[in-house]
Amino acid sequence: MGDLNLPKATLSAFIKEVVNDEGLKITPEFTNLIIEISRDYIHTIAGEANRVCLEEDKKTISHDFVFKALTNLKLMDHIEELKLYQESCSKEIKIKGKSKSRETEENEEEMREEQRKLLESIRDQQIQKEIASKFLAPAGNGKDDMNEETKPGDGKKNPPGNLKFIQKEDNDNYEEY
């Protein structure tokens, strides 16, 4: 068996909490003795639970194996209290599991909303590109292609309103249409 120690500070605080209700002082030797007894108690129960688990050809020690170990060690008076504690822990785990599933649902909803917004943005960008390409497309020879936004003779359509396209010339000067 390796050097397995329980957290001394935590156990010391627990011991002081229990003993101080009576107004007694405790010595470091007393604290060390209680820690050693606690370690041996846990080791004995865990070892017996492991043995029971192996006898039943299982690979995971569950609370049922701990209860059987306590019975085998003739510590049945602990079982009732531990079963109550185990039930309260199970309820707490179920509650935490439900809150996590709610958080997951909320996160999924937020992600769907963000995805919807991104898709709308992409759609808007595509529409803007299509509109821009229509206005930048060369005009045909037919009268249908001419409208009040087309400048005669330039072959390019300008968008409605005050927008103007700037075309780069070979000499790096920009010509405004």
Side-chain angles (χ1 to χ4, degrees):
M1 178 173 90
D3 185 28
L4 302 174
N5 292 315
L6 297 172
K8 189 172 184 173
T10 303
L11 286 174
S12 295
F14 178 71
I15 293 167
K16 287 177 184 175
E17 181 182 311
V18 171
V19 174
N20 281 340
D21 287 345
E22 306 297 324
L24 300 173
K25 294 183 180 180
I26 55 173
T27 63
E29 292 83 14
F30 174 77
T31 302
N32 290 336
L33 180 62
I34 295 296
I35 290 172
E36 186 64 28
I37 291 170
S38 300
R39 187 186 68 77
D40 288 344
Y41 180 79
I42 292 169
H43 179 71
T44 301
I45 294 171
E48 182 63 21
N50 184 51
R51 190 185 65 73
V52 171
C53 181
L54 292 174
E55 281 177 0
E56 294 194 19
D57 204 27
K58 302 290 182 180
K59 295 190 181 226
T60 304
I61 300 174
S62 70
H63 60 277
D64 292 325
F65 295 125
V66 174
F67 296 147
K68 287 180 184 178
L70 289 169
T71 302
N72 292 350
L73 295 169
K74 310 271 190 270
L75 298 169
M76 285 82 66
D77 53 327
H78 297 273
I79 294 174
E80 241 1 90
E81 187 177 346
L82 290 173
K83 282 185 178 182
L84 291 173
Y85 180 73
Q86 187 265 328
E87 287 174 16
S88 70
C89 288
S90 295
K91 288 178 185 175
E92 189 175 315
I93 289 170
K94 286 179 184 176
I95 290 170
K96 285 182 180 178
K98 287 181 183 178
S99 67
K100 283 185 180 179
S101 66
R102 277 192 215 117
E103 288 175 12
T104 302
E105 289 172 7
E106 290 171 2
N107 288 342
E108 286 177 2
E109 187 60 36
E110 288 173 8
M111 289 169 56
R112 282 189 198 105
E113 181 64 21
E114 187 175 333
Q115 184 179 29
R116 185 188 61 75
K117 288 178 181 178
L118 285 171
L119 287 172
E120 283 179 11
S121 172
I122 291 170
R123 250 185 252 125
D124 289 345
Q125 289 174 1
Q126 287 176 338
I127 290 170
Q128 289 174 358
K129 284 180 182 179
E130 286 176 20
I131 291 172
S133 69
K134 286 180 183 177
F135 284 110
L136 293 176
N141 293 335
K143 287 185 177 180
D144 294 337
D145 291 331
M146 294 292 286
N147 63 33
E148 60 187 84
E149 297 297 328
T150 304
K151 288 187 177 179
D154 71 355
K156 305 260 186 210
K157 292 183 182 179
N158 286 320
N162 294 331
L163 297 176
K164 294 184 179 182
F165 289 105
I166 298 174
Q167 183 176 8
K168 183 177 177 184
E169 295 292 322
D170 291 335
N171 60 3
D172 288 343
N173 292 328
Y174 291 93
E175 184 177 321
E176 193 172 290
Y177 289 101

